[in-house]
């Protein structure tokens, strides 16, 4: 992996220990999500979520915030596949008060940005957060975590064996329904 330079590592790319893997990635670069209309979705992404957007193709635009990772939003019209809240995008803010403020704004601006649902603020799995379902049935979590969660999760390492059951029945999020 000669192409992975010290500058790249210092530029926000984590050290990867993947000597035994087939693919030798140096970064997870992107994901995708569907939308009904790029124009309507971009307004929500930029004005409400504060994300940077660039329309790089006729049917798609890229969306990012901070790190070396982007989401490709693809306009598919009525073919949108609504997501469950467990399939969500997370945005970190600087305090619990900021989560509360954004929650109030999401509730107040539901109609303006066509936000379908704003769930209550909760303190769970080590973060203070709430979820909202956007106009395209994508879910967003706005959270406060005292630190940098990405680093901490990987620094903590495995806490459970892969032989441990997942206890799927305890996932309250499976009971949250999309508005579709």
């Amino acid at each position: 992996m000669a192409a992975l330079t010290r500058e790249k590592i210092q530029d926000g790319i984590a050290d990867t220990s993947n000597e035994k893997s087939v693919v030798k990635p140096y970064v997870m670069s992107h994901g995708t999500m569907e939308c009904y209309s790029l124009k309507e979705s971009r307004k929500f992404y930029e004005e409400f979520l504060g994300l940077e957007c660039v329309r790089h193709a006729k049917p798609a635009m890229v969306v990012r915030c901070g790190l070396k990772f982007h989401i490709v939003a693809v306009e598919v019209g009525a073919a949108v596949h609504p997501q469950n809240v467990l399939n969500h995008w997370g945005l970190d803010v600087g305090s619990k008060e900021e989560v509360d403020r954004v929650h109030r704004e999401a509730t107040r601006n539901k109609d303006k940005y066509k936000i379908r649902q704003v769930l209550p603020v909760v303190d769970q799995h080590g973060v203070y957060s709430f979820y909202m379902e956007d106009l395209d049935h994508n879910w967003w979590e706005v959270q406060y975590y005292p630190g940098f969660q990405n680093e901490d999760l990987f620094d903590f390492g495995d806490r459970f064996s892969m032989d441990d059951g997942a206890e799927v029945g305890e996932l309250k999020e499976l009971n949250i329904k999309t508005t579709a």
Side-chain angles (χ1 to χ4, degrees):
M1 183 177 311
L4 186 57
T5 64
R6 177 171 303 285
E7 291 77 28
K8 283 186 178 181
I9 292 169
Q10 291 173 342
D11 198 24
I13 297 172
D15 185 23
T16 57
S17 299
N18 54 13
E19 296 85 22
K20 296 179 182 175
S21 66
V22 174
V23 179
K24 308 281 190 238
Y26 64 88
V27 69
M28 183 179 287
S29 62
H30 69 283
T32 59
M33 65 182 167
E34 300 172 341
C35 66
Y36 289 110
S37 161
L38 291 172
K39 185 176 182 179
E40 287 294 317
S41 298
R42 185 174 189 158
K43 179 179 177 179
F44 172 70
Y45 301 152
E46 290 180 333
E47 292 180 17
F48 190 83
L49 296 179
L51 304 177
E52 180 183 0
C53 299
V54 174
R55 187 164 181 190
H56 70 293
K58 268 201 158 179
M61 70 182 161
V62 289
V63 179
R64 72 177 179 182
C65 179
L67 303 175
K68 303 295 181 190
F69 180 88
H70 62 275
I71 305 167
V72 181
V74 182
E75 183 173 313
V76 297
V80 161
H81 295 87
Q83 298 298 305
N84 177 276
V85 69
L86 289 173
N87 297 94
H88 65 268
W89 301 100
L91 298 171
D92 286 37
V93 296
S95 66
K96 288 182 176 184
E97 294 77 19
E98 184 67 2
V99 171
D100 292 335
R101 185 191 70 75
V102 174
H103 185 267
R104 285 190 305 274
E105 289 299 316
T107 302
R108 189 173 69 83
N109 288 291
K110 272 180 74 172
D111 292 339
K112 178 178 181 179
Y113 293 106
K114 301 179 182 174
I115 300 168
R116 295 176 183 272
Q117 291 186 71
V118 180
L119 301 184
V121 175
V122 293
D123 205 340
Q124 65 182 6
H125 59 262
V127 300
Y128 185 78
S129 70
F130 75 94
Y131 297 97
M132 64 183 147
E133 180 186 7
D134 74 13
L135 63 164
D136 301 310
H137 303 288
N138 293 305
W139 287 88
W140 298 87
E141 180 180 22
V142 176
Q143 73 173 24
Y144 168 69
Y145 176 80
F148 195 50
Q149 191 178 29
N150 182 280
E151 293 294 326
D152 286 350
L153 289 170
F154 285 92
D155 286 350
F156 295 155
D158 286 330
R159 294 196 229 175
F160 300 93
S161 163
M162 291 308 295
D163 293 328
D164 291 334
E167 301 173 0
V168 174
E170 294 182 15
L171 289 172
K172 296 176 291 191
E173 292 88 349
L174 290 174
N175 297 321
I176 298 169
K177 302 300 179 201
T178 183
T179 59

